[in-house]
Amino acid sequence: MRQPWLQPLLRWTRQEDLPALPIDVTLKAMDDAGVEKSLLCAWVGPCGPLIDNDETAAHVRAHPDRFAGVASVDLTRPVEAVRELRRAVTDLGMVALRVVPWLWNLPPNDRRYYPLLQTCAELGIPFCTQIGHAGPLCPSEPGRPIPYLETVLLEFPELVVIGGHVGAPWIDEVLFLAKKFPNFYIDTSAYAVHRLPPALVDYLRGSGRTRVLFGTNWPMLSAQRCLERLDELSLDTEARELYLGGNAARVFGV
């Protein structure tokens, strides 16, 4: 059944419908854009799993050279969530945890995140989250970087945190955190590269070249569409290689 929060995202990306896609379609989209390896994210929300960890792990097992898996858990059931996260990492081989604040209307410094953040630190995996405005018709405030994400970075200095979706309209806050915390990274998922905020592009060209990761928002945005105007970023060879894969390979250990 179509989830109501998905409709604004479909309008935003100019799509009338988004059927379930066979994994072969994902692989072809990667091939079309020259993408060697992608992260596949499970997706668990307040109404239950849309894509559970086992389904995601099955695709990774079938194509280990093309995919790595990112776990998702039920934020409202902390004991079960920690148990599932440990299973996803130790048994299924997941390389990170992702929680999207707008989906739960809970910022990442909410008490329900903390057992999971501690577990990520213990397991040595990154915590992936969303920063910035919400595309769906729900509050954007949980995605504001300061004070919510800053509190997490202060209280978990050993935890690697990746903020996805750029962080607009709070890009100044995002860059402040990136310069302040060496364990904080930014990914550009949900943005075609020509739409990236100029301040982020300047950071990527210079001192932030080791801190920004390329991302898509497949299937709503394909890698091919995101990369169409990559040359307009005017990245040097090192910055380009780090952005398109080197940083992710290092941070996720893939």
Side-chain angles (χ1 to χ4, degrees), residues 63-101:
H63 305 278
D65 57 329
R66 305 303 304 275
F67 298 124
V70 175
S72 183
V73 296
D74 186 342
L75 199 60
T76 63
R77 303 175 65 86
V79 174
E80 181 181 315
V82 167
R83 187 180 300 121
E84 174 61 12
L85 175 58
R86 290 189 180 277
R87 184 186 77 90
V89 174
T90 59
D91 296 349
L92 302 180
M94 299 291 201
V95 300
L97 170 69
R98 183 170 185 258
V99 180
V100 180

PDB file of all heavy atoms in Angstrom, residues 63-101:
ATOM      1  N   HIS A  63      25.051 -10.317  -4.432  1.00  0.00           N
ATOM      2  CA  HIS A  63      25.930  -9.457  -5.235  1.00  0.00           C
ATOM      3  C   HIS A  63      26.951  -8.782  -4.315  1.00  0.00           C
ATOM      4  O   HIS A  63      26.980  -7.547  -4.196  1.00  0.00           O
ATOM      5  CB  HIS A  63      25.108  -8.396  -5.977  1.00  0.00           C
ATOM      6  CG  HIS A  63      24.011  -8.957  -6.829  1.00  0.00           C
ATOM      7  ND1 HIS A  63      24.232  -9.450  -8.098  1.00  0.00           N
ATOM      8  CD2 HIS A  63      22.689  -9.118  -6.581  1.00  0.00           C
ATOM      9  CE1 HIS A  63      23.083  -9.876  -8.604  1.00  0.00           C
ATOM     10  NE2 HIS A  63      22.141  -9.693  -7.708  1.00  0.00           N
ATOM     11  N   PRO A  64      27.812  -9.540  -3.668  1.00  0.00           N
ATOM     12  CA  PRO A  64      28.722  -8.962  -2.662  1.00  0.00           C
ATOM     13  C   PRO A  64      29.727  -7.983  -3.238  1.00  0.00           C
ATOM     14  O   PRO A  64      30.242  -7.129  -2.502  1.00  0.00           O
ATOM     15  CB  PRO A  64      29.419 -10.194  -2.076  1.00  0.00           C
ATOM     16  CG  PRO A  64      29.328 -11.230  -3.159  1.00  0.00           C
ATOM     17  CD  PRO A  64      28.006 -10.998  -3.825  1.00  0.00           C
ATOM     18  N   ASP A  65      30.007  -8.092  -4.516  1.00  0.00           N
ATOM     19  CA  ASP A  65      30.948  -7.160  -5.137  1.00  0.00           C
ATOM     20  C   ASP A  65      30.284  -5.838  -5.522  1.00  0.00           C
ATOM     21  O   ASP A  65      30.976  -4.867  -5.852  1.00  0.00           O
ATOM     22  CB  ASP A  65      31.575  -7.791  -6.372  1.00  0.00           C
ATOM     23  CG  ASP A  65      30.543  -8.238  -7.395  1.00  0.00           C
ATOM     24  OD1 ASP A  65      29.424  -8.613  -6.976  1.00  0.00           O
ATOM     25  OD2 ASP A  65      30.840  -8.229  -8.604  1.00  0.00           O
ATOM     26  N   ARG A  66      28.946  -5.773  -5.468  1.00  0.00           N
ATOM     27  CA  ARG A  66      28.233  -4.562  -5.898  1.00  0.00           C
ATOM     28  C   ARG A  66      27.556  -3.821  -4.753  1.00  0.00           C
ATOM     29  O   ARG A  66      27.274  -2.622  -4.888  1.00  0.00           O
ATOM     30  CB  ARG A  66      27.154  -4.917  -6.944  1.00  0.00           C
ATOM     31  CG  ARG A  66      27.635  -5.674  -8.158  1.00  0.00           C
ATOM     32  CD  ARG A  66      28.735  -4.959  -8.931  1.00  0.00           C
ATOM     33  NE  ARG A  66      28.403  -3.611  -9.366  1.00  0.00           N
ATOM     34  CZ  ARG A  66      27.740  -3.320 -10.492  1.00  0.00           C
ATOM     35  NH1 ARG A  66      27.333  -4.302 -11.292  1.00  0.00           N
ATOM     36  NH2 ARG A  66      27.509  -2.067 -10.827  1.00  0.00           N
ATOM     37  N   PHE A  67      27.269  -4.515  -3.643  1.00  0.00           N
ATOM     38  CA  PHE A  67      26.492  -3.889  -2.574  1.00  0.00           C
ATOM     39  C   PHE A  67      27.116  -4.111  -1.207  1.00  0.00           C
ATOM     40  O   PHE A  67      27.797  -5.117  -0.972  1.00  0.00           O
ATOM     41  CB  PHE A  67      25.067  -4.451  -2.527  1.00  0.00           C
ATOM     42  CG  PHE A  67      24.246  -4.223  -3.756  1.00  0.00           C
ATOM     43  CD1 PHE A  67      23.673  -5.295  -4.427  1.00  0.00           C
ATOM     44  CD2 PHE A  67      24.024  -2.950  -4.242  1.00  0.00           C
ATOM     45  CE1 PHE A  67      22.907  -5.096  -5.561  1.00  0.00           C
ATOM     46  CE2 PHE A  67      23.254  -2.738  -5.381  1.00  0.00           C
ATOM     47  CZ  PHE A  67      22.695  -3.814  -6.047  1.00  0.00           C
ATOM     48  N   ALA A  68      26.852  -3.166  -0.295  1.00  0.00           N
ATOM     49  CA  ALA A  68      27.038  -3.344   1.139  1.00  0.00           C
ATOM     50  C   ALA A  68      25.750  -2.886   1.801  1.00  0.00           C
ATOM     51  O   ALA A  68      25.057  -1.995   1.284  1.00  0.00           O
ATOM     52  CB  ALA A  68      28.229  -2.542   1.643  1.00  0.00           C
ATOM     53  N   GLY A  69      25.406  -3.481   2.936  1.00  0.00           N
ATOM     54  CA  GLY A  69      24.112  -3.232   3.543  1.00  0.00           C
ATOM     55  C   GLY A  69      24.164  -2.275   4.722  1.00  0.00           C
ATOM     56  O   GLY A  69      25.125  -2.257   5.494  1.00  0.00           O
ATOM     57  N   VAL A  70      23.102  -1.475   4.867  1.00  0.00           N
ATOM     58  CA  VAL A  70      22.941  -0.549   5.982  1.00  0.00           C
ATOM     59  C   VAL A  70      21.666  -0.932   6.725  1.00  0.00           C
ATOM     60  O   VAL A  70      20.602  -1.060   6.115  1.00  0.00           O
ATOM     61  CB  VAL A  70      22.866   0.910   5.484  1.00  0.00           C
ATOM     62  CG1 VAL A  70      22.576   1.860   6.648  1.00  0.00           C
ATOM     63  CG2 VAL A  70      24.157   1.293   4.787  1.00  0.00           C
ATOM     64  N   ALA A  71      21.784  -1.093   8.027  1.00  0.00           N
ATOM     65  CA  ALA A  71      20.677  -1.602   8.834  1.00  0.00           C
ATOM     66  C   ALA A  71      19.686  -0.509   9.200  1.00  0.00           C
ATOM     67  O   ALA A  71      20.014   0.683   9.233  1.00  0.00           O
ATOM     68  CB  ALA A  71      21.221  -2.256  10.104  1.00  0.00           C
ATOM     69  N   SER A  72      18.465  -0.938   9.525  1.00  0.00           N
ATOM     70  CA  SER A  72      17.427  -0.056  10.051  1.00  0.00           C
ATOM     71  C   SER A  72      16.708  -0.807  11.165  1.00  0.00           C
ATOM     72  O   SER A  72      16.600  -2.040  11.124  1.00  0.00           O
ATOM     73  CB  SER A  72      16.450   0.330   8.942  1.00  0.00           C
ATOM     74  OG  SER A  72      15.473   1.235   9.407  1.00  0.00           O
ATOM     75  N   VAL A  73      16.223  -0.062  12.171  1.00  0.00           N
ATOM     76  CA  VAL A  73      15.570  -0.685  13.321  1.00  0.00           C
ATOM     77  C   VAL A  73      14.393   0.173  13.768  1.00  0.00           C
ATOM     78  O   VAL A  73      14.240   1.318  13.343  1.00  0.00           O
ATOM     79  CB  VAL A  73      16.558  -0.876  14.504  1.00  0.00           C
ATOM     80  CG1 VAL A  73      17.677  -1.835  14.132  1.00  0.00           C
ATOM     81  CG2 VAL A  73      17.123   0.462  14.962  1.00  0.00           C
ATOM     82  N   ASP A  74      13.574  -0.394  14.662  1.00  0.00           N
ATOM     83  CA  ASP A  74      12.410   0.299  15.209  1.00  0.00           C
ATOM     84  C   ASP A  74      12.856   1.134  16.404  1.00  0.00           C
ATOM     85  O   ASP A  74      13.183   0.609  17.469  1.00  0.00           O
ATOM     86  CB  ASP A  74      11.355  -0.721  15.630  1.00  0.00           C
ATOM     87  CG  ASP A  74      10.054  -0.060  16.082  1.00  0.00           C
ATOM     88  OD1 ASP A  74      10.062   1.143  16.400  1.00  0.00           O
ATOM     89  OD2 ASP A  74       9.028  -0.764  16.145  1.00  0.00           O
ATOM     90  N   LEU A  75      12.850   2.436  16.229  1.00  0.00           N
ATOM     91  CA  LEU A  75      13.369   3.350  17.241  1.00  0.00           C
ATOM     92  C   LEU A  75      12.556   3.322  18.534  1.00  0.00           C
ATOM     93  O   LEU A  75      13.079   3.658  19.610  1.00  0.00           O
ATOM     94  CB  LEU A  75      13.368   4.765  16.667  1.00  0.00           C
ATOM     95  CG  LEU A  75      14.248   5.822  17.316  1.00  0.00           C
ATOM     96  CD1 LEU A  75      15.710   5.402  17.260  1.00  0.00           C
ATOM     97  CD2 LEU A  75      14.047   7.159  16.619  1.00  0.00           C
ATOM     98  N   THR A  76      11.288   2.926  18.452  1.00  0.00           N
ATOM     99  CA  THR A  76      10.416   2.979  19.632  1.00  0.00           C
ATOM    100  C   THR A  76      10.527   1.742  20.507  1.00  0.00           C
ATOM    101  O   THR A  76       9.902   1.684  21.566  1.00  0.00           O
ATOM    102  CB  THR A  76       8.949   3.168  19.209  1.00  0.00           C
ATOM    103  OG1 THR A  76       8.528   2.027  18.436  1.00  0.00           O
ATOM    104  CG2 THR A  76       8.782   4.434  18.389  1.00  0.00           C
ATOM    105  N   ARG A  77      11.310   0.751  20.092  1.00  0.00           N
ATOM    106  CA  ARG A  77      11.483  -0.478  20.877  1.00  0.00           C
ATOM    107  C   ARG A  77      12.974  -0.673  21.135  1.00  0.00           C
ATOM    108  O   ARG A  77      13.640  -1.461  20.451  1.00  0.00           O
ATOM    109  CB  ARG A  77      10.882  -1.676  20.135  1.00  0.00           C
ATOM    110  CG  ARG A  77       9.397  -1.491  19.802  1.00  0.00           C
ATOM    111  CD  ARG A  77       8.853  -2.634  18.958  1.00  0.00           C
ATOM    112  NE  ARG A  77       8.873  -3.886  19.689  1.00  0.00           N
ATOM    113  CZ  ARG A  77       7.921  -4.301  20.507  1.00  0.00           C
ATOM    114  NH1 ARG A  77       6.857  -3.544  20.711  1.00  0.00           N
ATOM    115  NH2 ARG A  77       8.007  -5.454  21.122  1.00  0.00           N
ATOM    116  N   PRO A  78      13.524   0.061  22.122  1.00  0.00           N
ATOM    117  CA  PRO A  78      14.982   0.154  22.255  1.00  0.00           C
ATOM    118  C   PRO A  78      15.695  -1.162  22.518  1.00  0.00           C
ATOM    119  O   PRO A  78      16.767  -1.395  21.951  1.00  0.00           O
ATOM    120  CB  PRO A  78      15.168   1.142  23.413  1.00  0.00           C
ATOM    121  CG  PRO A  78      13.860   1.198  24.114  1.00  0.00           C
ATOM    122  CD  PRO A  78      12.822   0.919  23.088  1.00  0.00           C
ATOM    123  N   VAL A  79      15.145  -2.011  23.348  1.00  0.00           N
ATOM    124  CA  VAL A  79      15.822  -3.282  23.632  1.00  0.00           C
ATOM    125  C   VAL A  79      15.848  -4.160  22.390  1.00  0.00           C
ATOM    126  O   VAL A  79      16.892  -4.694  21.997  1.00  0.00           O
ATOM    127  CB  VAL A  79      15.144  -4.013  24.808  1.00  0.00           C
ATOM    128  CG1 VAL A  79      15.769  -5.404  25.005  1.00  0.00           C
ATOM    129  CG2 VAL A  79      15.271  -3.205  26.093  1.00  0.00           C
ATOM    130  N   GLU A  80      14.702  -4.280  21.749  1.00  0.00           N
ATOM    131  CA  GLU A  80      14.618  -5.061  20.524  1.00  0.00           C
ATOM    132  C   GLU A  80      15.474  -4.442  19.416  1.00  0.00           C
ATOM    133  O   GLU A  80      16.105  -5.153  18.623  1.00  0.00           O
ATOM    134  CB  GLU A  80      13.167  -5.155  20.074  1.00  0.00           C
ATOM    135  CG  GLU A  80      12.939  -5.959  18.816  1.00  0.00           C
ATOM    136  CD  GLU A  80      11.474  -5.997  18.423  1.00  0.00           C
ATOM    137  OE1 GLU A  80      10.632  -6.210  19.326  1.00  0.00           O
ATOM    138  OE2 GLU A  80      11.178  -5.798  17.225  1.00  0.00           O
ATOM    139  N   ALA A  81      15.505  -3.099  19.369  1.00  0.00           N
ATOM    140  CA  ALA A  81      16.275  -2.411  18.336  1.00  0.00           C
ATOM    141  C   ALA A  81      17.766  -2.690  18.483  1.00  0.00           C
ATOM    142  O   ALA A  81      18.461  -2.938  17.494  1.00  0.00           O
ATOM    143  CB  ALA A  81      16.004  -0.910  18.398  1.00  0.00           C
ATOM    144  N   VAL A  82      18.274  -2.649  19.703  1.00  0.00           N
ATOM    145  CA  VAL A  82      19.691  -2.945  19.924  1.00  0.00           C
ATOM    146  C   VAL A  82      19.999  -4.390  19.554  1.00  0.00           C
ATOM    147  O   VAL A  82      21.017  -4.687  18.909  1.00  0.00           O
ATOM    148  CB  VAL A  82      20.083  -2.652  21.382  1.00  0.00           C
ATOM    149  CG1 VAL A  82      21.452  -3.243  21.703  1.00  0.00           C
ATOM    150  CG2 VAL A  82      20.078  -1.152  21.642  1.00  0.00           C
ATOM    151  N   ARG A  83      19.126  -5.290  19.943  1.00  0.00           N
ATOM    152  CA  ARG A  83      19.325  -6.708  19.610  1.00  0.00           C
ATOM    153  C   ARG A  83      19.347  -6.907  18.097  1.00  0.00           C
ATOM    154  O   ARG A  83      20.188  -7.642  17.558  1.00  0.00           O
ATOM    155  CB  ARG A  83      18.207  -7.537  20.244  1.00  0.00           C
ATOM    156  CG  ARG A  83      18.387  -9.041  20.111  1.00  0.00           C
ATOM    157  CD  ARG A  83      17.231  -9.791  20.757  1.00  0.00           C
ATOM    158  NE  ARG A  83      17.122  -9.480  22.178  1.00  0.00           N
ATOM    159  CZ  ARG A  83      16.042  -8.956  22.754  1.00  0.00           C
ATOM    160  NH1 ARG A  83      14.980  -8.664  22.024  1.00  0.00           N
ATOM    161  NH2 ARG A  83      16.025  -8.713  24.050  1.00  0.00           N
ATOM    162  N   GLU A  84      18.427  -6.229  17.395  1.00  0.00           N
ATOM    163  CA  GLU A  84      18.364  -6.361  15.942  1.00  0.00           C
ATOM    164  C   GLU A  84      19.579  -5.729  15.268  1.00  0.00           C
ATOM    165  O   GLU A  84      20.106  -6.263  14.286  1.00  0.00           O
ATOM    166  CB  GLU A  84      17.079  -5.726  15.419  1.00  0.00           C
ATOM    167  CG  GLU A  84      16.955  -5.667  13.897  1.00  0.00           C
ATOM    168  CD  GLU A  84      16.964  -7.034  13.221  1.00  0.00           C
ATOM    169  OE1 GLU A  84      16.843  -8.066  13.919  1.00  0.00           O
ATOM    170  OE2 GLU A  84      17.101  -7.061  11.980  1.00  0.00           O
ATOM    171  N   LEU A  85      20.041  -4.610  15.801  1.00  0.00           N
ATOM    172  CA  LEU A  85      21.229  -3.982  15.229  1.00  0.00           C
ATOM    173  C   LEU A  85      22.440  -4.896  15.368  1.00  0.00           C
ATOM    174  O   LEU A  85      23.216  -5.068  14.420  1.00  0.00           O
ATOM    175  CB  LEU A  85      21.495  -2.642  15.913  1.00  0.00           C
ATOM    176  CG  LEU A  85      22.784  -1.926  15.493  1.00  0.00           C
ATOM    177  CD1 LEU A  85      22.820  -1.657  13.993  1.00  0.00           C
ATOM    178  CD2 LEU A  85      22.948  -0.627  16.279  1.00  0.00           C
ATOM    179  N   ARG A  86      22.611  -5.485  16.519  1.00  0.00           N
ATOM    180  CA  ARG A  86      23.741  -6.403  16.706  1.00  0.00           C
ATOM    181  C   ARG A  86      23.641  -7.598  15.758  1.00  0.00           C
ATOM    182  O   ARG A  86      24.644  -8.028  15.177  1.00  0.00           O
ATOM    183  CB  ARG A  86      23.802  -6.878  18.159  1.00  0.00           C
ATOM    184  CG  ARG A  86      24.218  -5.798  19.144  1.00  0.00           C
ATOM    185  CD  ARG A  86      24.475  -6.377  20.525  1.00  0.00           C
ATOM    186  NE  ARG A  86      24.878  -5.340  21.458  1.00  0.00           N
ATOM    187  CZ  ARG A  86      26.115  -4.874  21.574  1.00  0.00           C
ATOM    188  NH1 ARG A  86      27.082  -5.358  20.797  1.00  0.00           N
ATOM    189  NH2 ARG A  86      26.395  -3.932  22.458  1.00  0.00           N
ATOM    190  N   ARG A  87      22.435  -8.117  15.580  1.00  0.00           N
ATOM    191  CA  ARG A  87      22.243  -9.233  14.649  1.00  0.00           C
ATOM    192  C   ARG A  87      22.557  -8.804  13.220  1.00  0.00           C
ATOM    193  O   ARG A  87      23.215  -9.530  12.459  1.00  0.00           O
ATOM    194  CB  ARG A  87      20.804  -9.743  14.732  1.00  0.00           C
ATOM    195  CG  ARG A  87      20.538 -10.976  13.872  1.00  0.00           C
ATOM    196  CD  ARG A  87      19.057 -11.350  13.880  1.00  0.00           C
ATOM    197  NE  ARG A  87      18.288 -10.474  13.024  1.00  0.00           N
ATOM    198  CZ  ARG A  87      18.063 -10.699  11.719  1.00  0.00           C
ATOM    199  NH1 ARG A  87      18.569 -11.777  11.120  1.00  0.00           N
ATOM    200  NH2 ARG A  87      17.329  -9.861  11.010  1.00  0.00           N
ATOM    201  N   ALA A  88      22.086  -7.615  12.856  1.00  0.00           N
ATOM    202  CA  ALA A  88      22.300  -7.139  11.487  1.00  0.00           C
ATOM    203  C   ALA A  88      23.782  -6.990  11.172  1.00  0.00           C
ATOM    204  O   ALA A  88      24.215  -7.259  10.051  1.00  0.00           O
ATOM    205  CB  ALA A  88      21.573  -5.809  11.283  1.00  0.00           C
ATOM    206  N   VAL A  89      24.562  -6.583  12.158  1.00  0.00           N
ATOM    207  CA  VAL A  89      25.992  -6.373  11.927  1.00  0.00           C
ATOM    208  C   VAL A  89      26.760  -7.686  12.029  1.00  0.00           C
ATOM    209  O   VAL A  89      27.543  -8.042  11.141  1.00  0.00           O
ATOM    210  CB  VAL A  89      26.547  -5.331  12.919  1.00  0.00           C
ATOM    211  CG1 VAL A  89      28.065  -5.218  12.789  1.00  0.00           C
ATOM    212  CG2 VAL A  89      25.894  -3.975  12.675  1.00  0.00           C
ATOM    213  N   THR A  90      26.557  -8.430  13.112  1.00  0.00           N
ATOM    214  CA  THR A  90      27.373  -9.623  13.351  1.00  0.00           C
ATOM    215  C   THR A  90      26.949 -10.812  12.497  1.00  0.00           C
ATOM    216  O   THR A  90      27.791 -11.593  12.042  1.00  0.00           O
ATOM    217  CB  THR A  90      27.332 -10.009  14.837  1.00  0.00           C
ATOM    218  OG1 THR A  90      25.976 -10.257  15.236  1.00  0.00           O
ATOM    219  CG2 THR A  90      27.901  -8.898  15.698  1.00  0.00           C
ATOM    220  N   ASP A  91      25.646 -10.959  12.249  1.00  0.00           N
ATOM    221  CA  ASP A  91      25.163 -12.112  11.480  1.00  0.00           C
ATOM    222  C   ASP A  91      24.947 -11.794  10.003  1.00  0.00           C
ATOM    223  O   ASP A  91      25.181 -12.651   9.145  1.00  0.00           O
ATOM    224  CB  ASP A  91      23.847 -12.638  12.070  1.00  0.00           C
ATOM    225  CG  ASP A  91      24.010 -13.187  13.475  1.00  0.00           C
ATOM    226  OD1 ASP A  91      25.160 -13.364  13.922  1.00  0.00           O
ATOM    227  OD2 ASP A  91      22.976 -13.439  14.140  1.00  0.00           O
ATOM    228  N   LEU A  92      24.479 -10.593   9.710  1.00  0.00           N
ATOM    229  CA  LEU A  92      24.128 -10.241   8.333  1.00  0.00           C
ATOM    230  C   LEU A  92      25.206  -9.425   7.630  1.00  0.00           C
ATOM    231  O   LEU A  92      25.121  -9.231   6.417  1.00  0.00           O
ATOM    232  CB  LEU A  92      22.805  -9.464   8.307  1.00  0.00           C
ATOM    233  CG  LEU A  92      21.584 -10.171   8.911  1.00  0.00           C
ATOM    234  CD1 LEU A  92      20.350  -9.286   8.804  1.00  0.00           C
ATOM    235  CD2 LEU A  92      21.341 -11.518   8.241  1.00  0.00           C
ATOM    236  N   GLY A  93      26.176  -8.930   8.376  1.00  0.00           N
ATOM    237  CA  GLY A  93      27.274  -8.200   7.745  1.00  0.00           C
ATOM    238  C   GLY A  93      26.990  -6.761   7.402  1.00  0.00           C
ATOM    239  O   GLY A  93      27.705  -6.164   6.578  1.00  0.00           O
ATOM    240  N   MET A  94      25.961  -6.156   8.009  1.00  0.00           N
ATOM    241  CA  MET A  94      25.664  -4.747   7.731  1.00  0.00           C
ATOM    242  C   MET A  94      26.822  -3.868   8.187  1.00  0.00           C
ATOM    243  O   MET A  94      27.508  -4.157   9.177  1.00  0.00           O
ATOM    244  CB  MET A  94      24.382  -4.322   8.447  1.00  0.00           C
ATOM    245  CG  MET A  94      23.148  -5.106   8.023  1.00  0.00           C
ATOM    246  SD  MET A  94      22.662  -4.726   6.340  1.00  0.00           S
ATOM    247  CE  MET A  94      20.955  -5.247   6.348  1.00  0.00           C
ATOM    248  N   VAL A  95      27.036  -2.753   7.488  1.00  0.00           N
ATOM    249  CA  VAL A  95      28.210  -1.920   7.755  1.00  0.00           C
ATOM    250  C   VAL A  95      27.865  -0.599   8.432  1.00  0.00           C
ATOM    251  O   VAL A  95      28.772   0.195   8.747  1.00  0.00           O
ATOM    252  CB  VAL A  95      28.988  -1.644   6.458  1.00  0.00           C
ATOM    253  CG1 VAL A  95      29.473  -2.944   5.826  1.00  0.00           C
ATOM    254  CG2 VAL A  95      28.151  -0.836   5.457  1.00  0.00           C
ATOM    255  N   ALA A  96      26.584  -0.320   8.686  1.00  0.00           N
ATOM    256  CA  ALA A  96      26.182   0.941   9.311  1.00  0.00           C
ATOM    257  C   ALA A  96      24.732   0.824   9.767  1.00  0.00           C
ATOM    258  O   ALA A  96      24.016  -0.114   9.402  1.00  0.00           O
ATOM    259  CB  ALA A  96      26.342   2.112   8.344  1.00  0.00           C
ATOM    260  N   LEU A  97      24.306   1.815  10.548  1.00  0.00           N
ATOM    261  CA  LEU A  97      22.905   1.978  10.936  1.00  0.00           C
ATOM    262  C   LEU A  97      22.412   3.302  10.378  1.00  0.00           C
ATOM    263  O   LEU A  97      23.138   4.305  10.406  1.00  0.00           O
ATOM    264  CB  LEU A  97      22.763   1.998  12.456  1.00  0.00           C
ATOM    265  CG  LEU A  97      21.384   2.413  12.996  1.00  0.00           C
ATOM    266  CD1 LEU A  97      20.330   1.342  12.690  1.00  0.00           C
ATOM    267  CD2 LEU A  97      21.449   2.707  14.493  1.00  0.00           C
ATOM    268  N   ARG A  98      21.176   3.321   9.870  1.00  0.00           N
ATOM    269  CA  ARG A  98      20.591   4.569   9.390  1.00  0.00           C
ATOM    270  C   ARG A  98      19.248   4.789  10.063  1.00  0.00           C
ATOM    271  O   ARG A  98      18.388   3.898  10.080  1.00  0.00           O
ATOM    272  CB  ARG A  98      20.410   4.535   7.874  1.00  0.00           C
ATOM    273  CG  ARG A  98      19.871   5.850   7.285  1.00  0.00           C
ATOM    274  CD  ARG A  98      19.946   5.822   5.766  1.00  0.00           C
ATOM    275  NE  ARG A  98      19.558   7.083   5.173  1.00  0.00           N
ATOM    276  CZ  ARG A  98      18.372   7.337   4.610  1.00  0.00           C
ATOM    277  NH1 ARG A  98      17.454   6.383   4.561  1.00  0.00           N
ATOM    278  NH2 ARG A  98      18.110   8.511   4.082  1.00  0.00           N
ATOM    279  N   VAL A  99      19.070   5.989  10.626  1.00  0.00           N
ATOM    280  CA  VAL A  99      17.799   6.418  11.206  1.00  0.00           C
ATOM    281  C   VAL A  99      17.484   7.797  10.657  1.00  0.00           C
ATOM    282  O   VAL A  99      18.320   8.706  10.729  1.00  0.00           O
ATOM    283  CB  VAL A  99      17.855   6.464  12.746  1.00  0.00           C
ATOM    284  CG1 VAL A  99      16.504   6.918  13.298  1.00  0.00           C
ATOM    285  CG2 VAL A  99      18.218   5.097  13.325  1.00  0.00           C
ATOM    286  N   VAL A 100      16.287   7.980  10.122  1.00  0.00           N
ATOM    287  CA  VAL A 100      15.867   9.233   9.507  1.00  0.00           C
ATOM    288  C   VAL A 100      14.978   9.995  10.501  1.00  0.00           C
ATOM    289  O   VAL A 100      13.865   9.563  10.778  1.00  0.00           O
ATOM    290  CB  VAL A 100      15.101   8.961   8.196  1.00  0.00           C
ATOM    291  CG1 VAL A 100      14.662  10.270   7.548  1.00  0.00           C
ATOM    292  CG2 VAL A 100      15.970   8.160   7.232  1.00  0.00           C
ATOM    293  N   PRO A 101      15.438  11.124  11.048  1.00  0.00           N
ATOM    294  CA  PRO A 101      14.687  11.793  12.116  1.00  0.00           C
ATOM    295  C   PRO A 101      13.271  12.211  11.746  1.00  0.00           C
ATOM    296  O   PRO A 101      12.356  12.104  12.569  1.00  0.00           O
ATOM    297  CB  PRO A 101      15.563  13.012  12.437  1.00  0.00           C
ATOM    298  CG  PRO A 101      16.943  12.584  12.094  1.00  0.00           C
ATOM    299  CD  PRO A 101      16.769  11.731  10.860  1.00  0.00           C
TER     300      PRO A 101
END
